[in-house]
Amino acid sequence: MTFNGNNSVIYLCRNKHLYKLDVVTYNNSAFYVGQNNYFNGKLSAILSEQKHIFIGDDGLFSFGIWMRIADPHLIYHTDSKKRINPTKSIYLGDHVWIGQSAMILKGTQIHSGSIIGALSVVSGKEIPSNTSWAGNPSRKIAENIFWTDKCVHSWIDNQTAVFFCLPVFCHQKKDIRGAHYAHRRLFINPSGTQNCSRAVTASCCHRYLTV
């Protein structure tokens, strides 16, 4: 964690997994990570120009992921002389799976239950819940999907066969890791998070930096 400015906050919630982060902040920014996210490799992030990154609960992050909210050099339109590349915050909901070496860039909102494929570049897009996106630039490749955190690396035939269709026990209310994520009403909407980000930042800065 590197603080290259003033009045910024890095807030990491309780996590049953090891945090693997390389975060650089400048002035008046908030980097927030919810509960029980899994980092298979280091996630790198740079927060610039008083904007923020908010990550919900129960996400899955692969190797080599980058998040950047600024370009960061200035670009102007030749006629109007106005800046055309403003810095924008990034918001991720709950139970989001980000693939290896993906780049999540300024202005991106990824709604809960969605997947971003390996090597994808997502810039300034709003990714709906229960969808899968991939490519550079990213595009939707599937919808009406949800995913679980079960890992198939060591599976043999009988395990593959059992989970070919979601087993009945995964439909039980007690199994929050399975069909629970098929219900959009239980998701956190990043758009709602965006509306309260300034208040959260101000509260965090007052509580942790001015005591």
Side-chain angles (χ1 to χ4, degrees):
M1 308 296 179
T2 303
F3 291 90
N4 286 334
N6 299 312
N7 301 319
S8 286
V9 172
I10 297 176
Y11 191 99
L12 308 179
C13 292
R14 179 183 300 174
N15 201 338
K16 61 184 179 182
H17 308 293
L18 179 67
Y19 276 108
K20 300 177 183 179
L21 301 171
D22 181 10
V23 179
V24 178
T25 66
Y26 288 86
N27 296 303
N28 305 318
S29 292
F31 181 83
Y32 173 90
V33 182
Q35 298 183 40
N36 298 327
N37 289 278
Y38 179 78
F39 300 90
N40 204 15
K42 183 176 67 176
L43 184 152
S44 300
I46 301 177
L47 288 84
S48 312
E49 204 173 3
Q50 305 183 97
K51 301 301 182 183
H52 320 291
I53 296 177
F54 279 69
I55 299 173
D57 299 338
D58 194 40
L60 177 59
F61 298 86
S62 188
F63 301 92
I65 296 167
W66 270 93
M67 295 185 180
R68 300 187 63 140
I69 59 179
D71 287 332
H73 304 292
L74 303 179
I75 302 174
Y76 293 91
H77 192 278
T78 56
D79 295 329
S80 67
K81 308 300 187 292
K82 292 183 179 180
R83 184 180 175 187
I84 60 174
N85 66 332
T87 298
K88 297 179 181 179
S89 299
I90 292 173
Y91 301 95
L92 278 64
D94 292 337
H95 195 65
V96 168
W97 178 7
I98 309 296
Q100 183 174 346
S101 299
M103 293 195 70
I104 312 300
L105 303 179
K106 62 179 186 176
T108 296
Q109 297 184 45
I110 302 176
H111 290 247
S112 299
S114 289
I115 301 170
I116 304 298
L119 297 171
S120 296
V121 177
V122 188
S123 180
K125 291 186 176 180
E126 183 170 358
I127 307 300
S129 291
N130 297 98
T131 60
S132 179
W133 292 60
N136 179 10
S138 61
R139 62 181 181 84
K140 185 170 66 175
I141 60 174
E143 58 186 7
N144 298 320
I145 58 94
F146 66 97
W147 59 276
T148 76
D149 63 350
K150 295 184 182 298
C151 182
V152 303
H153 286 319
S154 62
W155 282 16
I156 56 178
D157 290 347
N158 63 330
Q159 291 164 299
T160 299
V162 166
F163 283 90
F164 180 76
C165 186
L166 191 69
V168 173
F169 64 81
C170 284
H171 292 275
Q172 303 303 313
K173 185 176 181 180
K174 65 181 180 181
D175 189 353
I176 196 171
R177 312 293 291 184
H180 167 86
Y181 290 107
H183 302 294
R184 297 187 184 185
R185 63 183 176 82
L186 300 177
F187 292 157
I188 289 177
N189 186 330
S191 297
T193 306
Q194 184 174 11
N195 293 334
C196 68
S197 63
R198 288 188 179 180
V200 171
T201 305
S203 175
C204 287
C205 289
H206 176 76
R207 180 177 179 183
Y208 294 103
L209 299 178
T210 62
V211 173

